Amino acid sequence: MSPCRRRLVNSNAQATIPPRADYSLTSRGYELSALLVPLATWAFENADDIINGQR
């Protein structure tokens, strides 16, 4: 199921040539990103230890 169908992203199709769509996060998408950004930051900061299997 796509993010648009899960109501995480808004899609606004433009009837132009070439066709275009504008995307933005819904309030639920912003809520999810607020939870995922700290997780991604932690993973990035600890990547070497994770890859090397260290604590």
Side-chain angles (χ1 to χ4, degrees), residues 19-47:
R20 184 179 116 186
D22 295 323
Y23 297 93
S24 62
L25 291 176
T26 63
S27 59
R28 181 169 284 177
Y30 277 110
E31 182 181 353
L32 179 60
S33 71
L35 298 169
L36 292 177
V37 167
L39 177 62
T41 301
W42 177 89
F44 180 77
E45 290 171 353
N46 292 282

Side-chain angles (χ1 to χ4, degrees), residues 1-12:
M1 187 177 292
S2 75
C4 291
R5 295 192 69 189
R6 290 189 177 113
R7 308 216 188 264
L8 298 175
V9 177
N10 290 317
S11 174
N12 184 14

Side-chain angles (χ1 to χ4, degrees), residues 13-21:
Q14 305 292 321
T16 60
I17 298 174
R20 184 179 116 186

